[in-house]
Amino acid sequence: MPKELEPGSHESPDDSSSTAHTLELLCHLDNTAHGSMACVAWEPTGDGKKVISLADNHILLWDLQESSSQAVLASSASLEGKGQLKFTSGRWSPHHNCTQVATANDTAVRGWDTRSMSQIYCIENAHGQLVRDLDFNPNKQYYLASCGDDCKVKFWDTRNVTEPVKTLEEHSHWVWSVRYNHSHDQLVLTGSSDSRVILSNMVSISSEPFGHLVDDDDLSDQEERRPEEKSQEPPQDSVIATYEEHEDSVYAVDWSSADPWLFASLSYDGRLVINRVPRALKYHILL
Amino acid sequence: MAAAAAGPGPGSGPGDSPEGPEAEAPERRRKAHGMLKLYYGLSEGEAAGRPAGPDPLDPTDLNGAHFDPEVYLDKLRRECPLAQLMDSETDMVRQIRALDSDMQTLVYENYNKFISATDTIRKMKNDFRKMEDEMDRLATNMAVITDFSARISATLQDRHERITKLAGVHALLRKLQFLFELPSRLTKCVELGAYGQAVRYQGRARAVLQQYQHLPSFRAIQDDCQVITARLAQQLRQRFREGGSGAPEQAECVELLLALGEPAEELCEEFLAHARGRLEEELRSLEAELGPSPPAPDVLEFTDRGGSGFVGGLCQVAAAYQELFAAQGPAGAERLAAFARELGGRYFALVERRLAQEQGGGDNSLLVRALDRFHRRLRAPGALLAAAGLAEAATEIVERVARERLGHHLQGLRAAFLGCLTDVRQALAAPRLAGKEGPGLAELLANVASSILSHIKASLAAVHLFTAKEVSFSNKPYFRGEFCSQGVREGLIVGFIRSMCQTAQSFCDSPGEKGGATPPALLLLLSRLCLDYETATISYVLTLTDEQFLVQDQSPVTPVSTLCAEARETARRLLTHYVKVQGLVISQMLRKSVETRDWLSTLEPRNVRAVMKRVVEDTTAIDVQVGLLYEEGVRKAQSSDSSKRTFSVYSSSRQQGRYAPSYTPSAPMDTNLLSNIQKLFSERIDVFSPVEFNKVSVLTGIIKISLKTLLECVRLRTFGRFGLQQVQVDCHFLQLYLWRFVADEELVHLLLDEVVASAALRCPDPVPMEPSVVEVICERG
């Protein structure tokens, strides 16, 4: 990648809130020594001063100083192994006080501790082919979703990485992006180059496997509704909806940070589609 | 009496006509009766319960007892006219005359009798008088005799009593003599070994001795006897224990001992203990044959020996026991049953151990014959000892062995299948090393199929022995029903086909998924094998099984259709996996070629890149490989004029090439619009879609996967002008060669156009190459 393209790529999220029209170069992450950059990720919480960037086989932790105008390389680690190892994607875990980062290279998923910059876990052959994207469950600290070129979406418990907790095989081509809903982590969004977006309901491995338990207690005075609730109790993981509005490969999907029921997907032909979670499901989750 | 003859009177009978001289004899007799009755004052009417006739006291009745001639005459004279009087007078006269003559006749007739009777009476009177005298004499004589006799008996009384006493004493003495002699006799008998005789003597004397044991002498005898008896019993027991004598002799011993009054219970125990000793000996010898290191005789010989030695012995024991201790009732029977159960259990354990050694392999027919013998032999004690459940246990063992046998065969079939697969792998790997084409896939497939089928048939034939008619257990319900349907059909055949499908499927989800583990050709071959099974082999094998085993069981069995569906599903999965694996191989090639190249600073294309040629070569190879096993399949009907069509279709892409100047960033809307409009009219391409069972579909799948990969990889790169041109050349080349493999060549065109368009989008300076130049380069390459 040409170097001049890179600053823009990581500045836009930072500045979009303040200046909508012109982009201003705040600082430059100097990566000349490390090769082309594949991914940049901010610390999810905290003061926004830490950035991880993945370049070829290096993982670099930057410290942004002097109101983000200067980036200092705080620490780095590199992946050693035979052949050319390249990171394809990375994700900062929102748990553990933001000390964990997960990265993907080829078919493996690795976890890193940012304090020591050492590897804490490694899922070899997480996918049959290239791993394209990762996402952490925002409510369950050890749960991680990954997707890749084998058309599968896999859910992992990072404490036991020998077997995936769950595997979805709904797409018919590479899955490029996977995202947990920020507040209701049973909702999982995936985008694929078969030009479909799929919204799945992974109740069984979510943080609310039995629905809203608090509500259940509130309703306890209404004797009638309880058996009904009970009958729905064993929830099934299912595909909620498949969105086929895109004509070409979908490369990115994400949830709205403002409205938890809103999500957008972007495809190759430049089409951005915004969808809502189906109303019935929304009420089912809320009530 | 004469009056009866002349009785015309009305009193002669009840309701009789007065005139009855010519009456018949019975009537006359009745009349006579009537007279008698009259005489005794009984009226006939009364006697007969009938109203009385004319008054018997009527004085006018001629025949009446109270006849009064005067009254009668008066009456006649008064009542009758003269004529009648005359008549009656005449009549009367006539009657009188008749009566007179009758009387005369009677007197004449009976006169002699009277005289002789008188004489006789007179004589009798004389005789009686004589006899009376004699009787008197006799009486006196008798009195004298009685007197004498009394005197004699009085005299003899004393002596008689003494004689009687003497006789009694004599008998007693004889008994005593017997008793006194008893010990010596017994001793002698014991010495001679005539135990039976001794026991009989003892039996005779025992009660007496028992009764008089308070007398010292008898007591001594009894003591002696007891000592001898004890010795006798001991000897008997000794003989009993010396196992040398056969079971019948032992039985005799026990019989004698029982007669000696030995406690039956104890004898039972001893008898059984002894029998146990012998049977255990048999078991030990059997066990020795088992041995830790088996140079063991074959299983048939083993069961034979066990049958004749142990089972025969058990039969004898049981029979003898039941004969001897029949009096013991259910408790004794129970003891025997427990005994038989225990020993039988041990015998079974041995047999099972032996049979387990046989499980490893070996001859089925021998095993079945051995089992048959085993089962047959155990029927005899089974009948004898129903309570011990030996026959049932034996049947159970046979069933278990049969089941294990089935499992063994299933295992064998699986192993054979895996062996076949290994062979195929080797065959697939070997020629590649030699660098030449090995045996064709079709040939390999045929080999595998026939080898598996022959294994199945061999297994069926082997298992079929269990149900042969002449085998004694084949008519047990298990072998008639469950064995055939659940065991053979479900367990063996269906189980094998299922496991075969599973084994094949396991190749699909090998954890590596890189396809390195399984050669793709093997996947293809297995897929074809499963498909063949679906179409023919499964139904053939199942029909064969059903015919051979005449399944009568009603339990549900897996229908052919289910199995076929499973096989088909397996075949489909394998083929799909094959497509994925092959597609992945080509994809990797394409991806590496796109990712590793620096497209910005590439030179102007002179050649088609080598990797594209390689892709075409590989695809052709795959085409050949699939063509060996699968039919051609259908294409869209447009290949009649394919060369021209290629060209014309290409011209459309060339047309797109002409649009290329509009790919400049100045007019992005147009290109987007263009591609979108184009896509509106083309169907969405499902890349990893399930494939059909034909060559075209398989190749289409592989090419789709490869081209889609190419497309996605191209989109991740940035191209210089010559980079774009190189892509153009490559795509044209692919187009030239790939169209003939796929079902719908439109698909190839579409994807390749998409690749070129994407490359153009990723190019800051999109100047496409002249189509004619592209063609020249491609034709040259």
Side-chain angles (χ1 to χ4, degrees):
Chain A
M1 263 191 189
K3 247 180 268 169
E4 59 266 34
L5 290 176
E6 279 176 21
S9 70
H10 72 85
E11 259 170 49
S12 45
D14 192 33
D15 287 24
S16 56
S17 52
S18 53
T19 54
H21 303 296
T22 55
L23 300 180
E24 184 188 343
L25 178 65
L26 269 180
C27 74
H28 183 75
L29 302 182
D30 184 17
N31 65 336
T32 42
H34 307 295
S36 66
M37 213 172 269
C39 177
V40 177
W42 253 267
E43 194 182 19
T45 55
D47 50 7
K49 289 208 165 168
K50 283 184 178 166
V51 178
I52 280 283
S53 73
L54 303 173
D56 276 358
N57 61 339
H58 299 288
I59 173 166
L60 310 169
L61 176 65
W62 302 87
D63 215 343
L64 301 181
Q65 293 174 345
E66 298 171 26
S67 62
S68 302
S69 62
Q70 199 182 350
V72 175
L73 185 61
S75 55
S76 73
S78 58
L79 199 55
E80 301 297 338
K82 68 173 172 134
Q84 267 198 322
L85 295 172
K86 271 187 186 174
F87 286 115
T88 54
S89 168
R91 203 70 185 159
W92 206 312
S93 163
H95 306 289
H96 311 290
N97 206 14
C98 301
T99 55
Q100 286 189 10
V101 172
T103 62
N105 65 295
D106 199 21
T107 62
V109 173
R110 288 160 204 277
W112 303 85
D113 189 329
T114 55
R115 294 167 297 189
S116 60
M117 288 311 268
S118 57
Q119 183 176 309
I120 45 180
Y121 55 85
C122 175
I123 312 173
E124 297 280 1
N125 286 322
H127 284 267
Q129 300 172 45
L130 198 70
V131 181
R132 291 275 171 192
D133 197 15
L134 302 165
D135 197 18
F136 279 97
N137 187 321
N139 300 331
K140 285 182 95 174
Q141 55 183 349
Y142 295 107
Y143 274 65
L144 172 70
S146 67
C147 60
D149 285 3
D150 57 357
C151 315
K152 289 174 185 164
V153 179
K154 293 187 179 178
F155 297 88
W156 304 89
D157 185 331
T158 57
R159 292 164 297 188
N160 177 18
V161 295
T162 50
E163 281 289 311
V165 181
K166 197 97 189 171
T167 303
L168 283 182
E169 281 183 86
E170 302 294 341
H171 286 290
S172 67
H173 203 242
W174 307 351
V175 187
W176 284 76
S177 180
V178 58
R179 285 291 178 270
Y180 277 109
N181 188 302
H182 300 308
S183 43
H184 304 285
D185 55 284
Q186 63 265 52
L187 302 177
V188 176
L189 205 55
T190 52
S192 152
S193 43
D194 63 359
S195 55
R196 291 191 180 96
V197 174
I198 292 181
L199 177 61
S200 313
N201 191 8
M202 305 303 293
V203 188
S204 67
I205 53 169
S206 76
S207 58
E208 298 174 345
F210 302 112
H212 232 289
L213 290 176
V214 188
D215 284 1
D216 221 17
D217 290 338
D218 290 344
L219 291 169
S220 57
D221 49 344
Q222 297 174 331
E223 308 274 326
E224 261 181 73
R225 287 194 61 169
R226 281 200 64 159
E228 193 187 329
E229 297 270 319
K230 285 272 190 280
S231 69
Q232 294 170 352
E233 200 142 8
Q236 297 292 315
D237 295 338
S238 59
V239 170
I240 299 163
T242 304
Y243 301 93
E244 309 205 358
E245 283 90 352
H246 293 286
E247 301 288 350
D248 210 326
S249 308
V250 179
Y251 292 120
V253 292
D254 215 335
W255 292 94
S256 159
S257 48
D259 182 352
W261 310 109
L262 211 58
F263 59 91
S265 51
L266 179 67
S267 64
Y268 175 75
D269 50 14
R271 190 178 295 181
L272 179 76
V273 176
I274 298 181
N275 272 304
R276 268 180 201 286
V277 175
R279 196 175 291 266
L281 180 73
K282 175 175 164 181
Y283 289 143
H284 180 77
I285 291 173
L286 284 180
L287 299 178
Chain B
M1 278 180 233
S12 61
D16 266 2
S17 62
E19 296 93 0
E22 308 305 322
E24 292 165 15
E27 205 162 321
R28 200 180 297 170
R29 207 165 45 225
R30 210 185 301 154
K31 243 179 241 167
H33 279 261
M35 303 275 272
L36 275 171
K37 280 175 184 160
L38 204 63
Y39 177 75
Y40 288 111
L42 285 168
S43 87
E44 174 114 339
E46 263 170 25
R50 271 186 247 166
D55 187 5
L57 301 179
D58 188 2
T60 58
D61 185 0
L62 261 180
N63 294 327
H66 304 276
F67 179 65
D68 189 347
E70 287 306 316
V71 176
Y72 181 68
L73 278 178
D74 276 352
K75 194 184 168 198
L76 277 181
R77 260 182 302 208
R78 235 181 302 150
E79 286 174 4
C80 299
L82 183 63
Q84 203 177 353
L85 273 179
M86 293 294 289
D87 285 347
S88 57
E89 198 238 336
T90 334
D91 190 29
M92 197 75 79
V93 170
R94 196 170 36 91
Q95 280 188 11
I96 289 167
R97 267 187 209 141
L99 281 173
D100 279 346
S101 72
D102 278 355
M103 201 154 64
Q104 260 176 359
T105 317
L106 277 172
V107 169
Y108 282 134
E109 274 177 1
N110 292 314
Y111 184 71
N112 278 334
K113 288 179 191 167
F114 278 130
I115 288 173
S116 69
T118 318
D119 283 354
T120 312
I121 289 169
R122 198 176 296 139
K123 218 156 72 189
M124 272 172 73
K125 211 185 263 173
N126 258 351
D127 287 353
F128 271 122
R129 207 169 292 141
K130 241 194 270 173
M131 216 192 295
E132 219 165 272
D133 293 347
E134 275 169 21
M135 283 306 284
D136 283 346
R137 265 213 321 273
L138 183 65
T140 29
N141 284 349
M142 280 307 289
V144 173
I145 288 168
T146 314
D147 196 25
F148 273 121
S149 161
R151 253 187 288 165
I152 288 168
S153 21
T155 330
L156 283 183
Q157 180 82 31
D158 193 25
R159 221 175 269 179
H160 182 73
E161 270 171 20
R162 274 166 54 198
I163 286 172
T164 316
K165 215 188 268 176
L166 280 176
V169 168
H170 178 68
L172 198 65
L173 281 175
R174 274 182 61 186
K175 277 187 193 165
L176 279 176
Q177 191 189 7
F178 172 74
L179 282 182
F180 286 124
E181 276 174 8
L182 185 61
S184 62
R185 276 194 203 199
L186 283 177
T187 322
K188 206 168 169 192
C189 281
V190 169
E191 273 165 13
L192 287 176
Y195 300 112
Q197 185 73 23
V199 170
R200 261 197 303 286
Y201 287 152
Q202 156 75 9
R204 260 159 65 186
R206 187 167 37 205
V208 180
L209 288 175
Q210 195 73 28
Q211 198 179 344
Y212 294 103
Q213 60 179 337
H214 54 278
L215 297 175
S217 52
F218 283 105
R219 168 144 229 133
I221 292 172
Q222 194 188 14
D223 289 350
D224 279 359
C225 277
Q226 269 171 355
V227 169
I228 293 166
T229 310
R231 211 169 66 226
L232 174 63
Q234 207 168 351
Q235 277 191 14
L236 279 173
R237 278 180 195 234
Q238 186 65 32
R239 236 179 95 190
F240 177 59
R241 273 187 214 114
E242 281 166 11
S245 45
E249 280 178 54
Q250 274 202 328
E252 192 197 331
C253 285
V254 170
E255 204 175 346
L256 293 179
L257 281 170
L258 272 180
L260 277 180
E262 294 284 321
E265 198 120 320
E266 200 178 299
L267 277 177
C268 277
E269 294 291 349
E270 203 159 325
F271 182 76
L272 287 183
H274 199 85
R276 177 190 303 272
R278 262 184 302 137
L279 292 176
E280 271 176 357
E281 193 63 37
E282 295 281 352
L283 285 177
R284 260 196 296 284
S285 77
L286 282 179
E287 196 166 6
E289 267 173 36
L290 265 178
S293 56
D298 64 40
V299 65
L300 186 61
E301 204 174 312
F302 180 85
T303 44
D304 255 359
R305 205 166 297 175
S308 54
F310 175 78
V311 181
L314 187 63
C315 277
Q316 276 180 6
V317 168
Y321 183 94
Q322 285 182 344
E323 206 172 297
L324 291 174
F325 302 108
Q328 288 290 299
E334 182 49 45
R335 193 174 296 142
L336 179 62
F339 169 78
R341 250 200 303 277
E342 194 216 320
L343 284 176
R346 284 171 55 186
Y347 174 60
F348 290 152
L350 283 179
V351 171
E352 277 199 274
R353 261 172 64 192
R354 182 66 187 87
L355 289 173
Q357 286 178 4
E358 210 59 20
Q359 283 301 334
D363 192 358
N364 232 18
S365 67
L366 202 64
L367 181 68
V368 170
R369 265 167 58 205
L371 283 176
D372 180 33
R373 297 260 170 97
F374 167 69
H375 188 259
R376 217 184 275 271
R377 284 310 298 243
L378 273 170
R379 272 198 295 197
L384 220 57
L385 292 166
L390 291 182
E392 288 79 0
T395 312
E396 224 166 82
I397 285 182
V398 172
E399 284 180 16
R400 199 152 50 227
V401 170
R403 262 189 215 115
E404 275 168 17
R405 211 59 209 164
L406 284 178
H408 174 73
H409 278 290
L410 179 58
Q411 216 58 42
L413 281 179
R414 279 188 190 149
F417 178 59
L418 289 180
C420 281
L421 289 189
T422 316
D423 288 351
V424 170
R425 267 172 195 260
Q426 275 169 358
L428 288 175
R432 244 175 254 166
L433 292 176
K436 62 174 178 76
E437 276 301 312
L441 276 178
E443 204 175 311
L444 281 176
L445 176 70
N447 283 347
V448 170
S450 66
S451 135
I452 292 176
L453 197 58
S454 68
H455 272 108
I456 289 180
K457 279 184 181 165
S459 289
L460 276 182
V463 165
H464 193 247
L465 291 172
F466 279 100
T467 59
K469 275 235 162 48
E470 65 273 13
V471 176
S472 63
F473 49 76
S474 66
N475 58 354
K476 294 274 168 204
Y478 169 74
F479 282 98
R480 295 182 76 84
E482 201 194 332
F483 179 77
C484 289
S485 74
Q486 293 305 316
V488 176
R489 191 185 191 275
E490 292 297 294
L492 189 61
I493 301 302
V494 175
F496 170 64
I497 292 172
R498 287 227 163 107
S499 97
M500 198 178 99
C501 287
Q502 268 164 14
T503 312
Q505 285 209 9
S506 70
F507 287 116
C508 292
D509 27 52
S510 51
E513 264 196 55
K514 292 254 180 184
T518 322
L522 181 62
L523 290 176
L524 193 65
L525 187 131
L526 280 177
S527 155
R528 182 69 220 188
L529 185 67
C530 287
L531 194 65
D532 285 348
Y533 265 74
E534 188 254 330
T535 46
T537 316
I538 287 179
S539 62
Y540 168 69
V541 169
L542 284 186
T543 316
L544 191 71
T545 314
D546 288 350
E547 272 170 11
Q548 274 195 18
F549 288 87
L550 294 174
V551 175
Q552 299 163 337
D553 204 13
Q554 297 306 315
S555 59
V557 291
T558 318
V560 178
S561 57
T562 318
L563 267 188
C564 284
E566 274 173 36
R568 190 179 181 83
E569 172 64 17
T570 308
R572 199 189 55 71
R573 279 191 61 182
L574 282 166
L575 197 60
T576 308
H577 191 63
Y578 174 77
V579 167
K580 273 191 187 174
V581 169
Q582 294 288 34
L584 187 65
V585 170
I586 295 177
S587 301
Q588 294 288 10
M589 221 148 52
L590 287 168
R591 198 166 104 190
K592 284 274 155 9
S593 79
V594 173
E595 278 177 357
T596 52
R597 198 176 172 107
D598 184 1
W599 292 98
L600 278 169
S601 54
T602 187
L603 294 174
E604 188 173 1
R606 297 259 171 251
N607 279 314
V608 178
R609 284 192 300 148
V611 68
M612 295 303 164
K613 290 180 183 166
R614 183 76 199 283
V615 166
V616 172
E617 274 168 25
D618 281 10
T619 315
T620 315
I622 292 169
D623 182 62
V624 170
Q625 196 177 48
V626 179
L628 288 174
L629 293 183
Y630 279 98
E631 297 75 27
E632 183 69 25
V634 281
R635 300 162 187 281
K636 282 205 171 171
Q638 51 180 207
S639 46
S640 58
D641 194 8
S642 47
S643 62
K644 272 223 173 114
R645 191 158 271 286
T646 335
F647 196 77
S648 68
V649 170
Y650 179 66
S651 71
S652 84
S653 103
R654 188 169 45 173
Q655 225 173 359
Q656 203 183 346
R658 266 190 219 124
Y659 283 117
S662 66
Y663 284 152
T664 47
S666 59
M669 289 308 287
D670 286 355
T671 53
N672 277 348
L673 196 65
L674 184 77
S675 76
N676 281 344
I677 288 171
Q678 198 187 3
K679 276 173 196 158
L680 274 182
F681 293 102
S682 63
E683 279 176 27
R684 190 192 290 267
I685 299 164
D686 214 353
V687 181
F688 290 110
S689 55
V691 289
E692 318 234 317
F693 295 108
N694 59 55
K695 191 178 86 176
V696 169
S697 171
V698 170
L699 264 291
T700 308
I702 294 170
I703 289 171
K704 262 195 312 195
I705 292 171
S706 314
L707 294 186
K708 179 79 177 173
T709 307
L710 179 62
L711 173 65
E712 294 295 338
C713 290
V714 162
R715 285 178 178 179
L716 289 174
R717 305 291 297 180
T718 313
F719 295 87
R721 184 210 292 184
F722 294 130
L724 169 65
Q725 290 181 353
Q726 183 69 61
V727 171
Q728 224 182 327
V729 170
D730 291 351
C731 286
H732 183 67
F733 179 78
L734 288 181
Q735 189 154 351
L736 275 181
Y737 289 97
L738 291 186
W739 66 267
R740 56 196 156 109
F741 298 123
V742 298
D744 181 7
E745 49 194 279
E746 200 63 43
L747 191 85
V748 176
H749 303 153
L750 208 72
L751 279 165
L752 288 173
D753 286 352
E754 195 76 15
V755 170
V756 176
S758 295
L761 266 180
R762 294 291 299 168
C763 178
D765 178 23
V767 180
M769 193 179 247
E770 265 301 304
S772 56
V773 183
V774 172
E775 271 166 47
V776 167
I777 293 176
C778 286
E779 270 155 31
R780 199 179 52 200

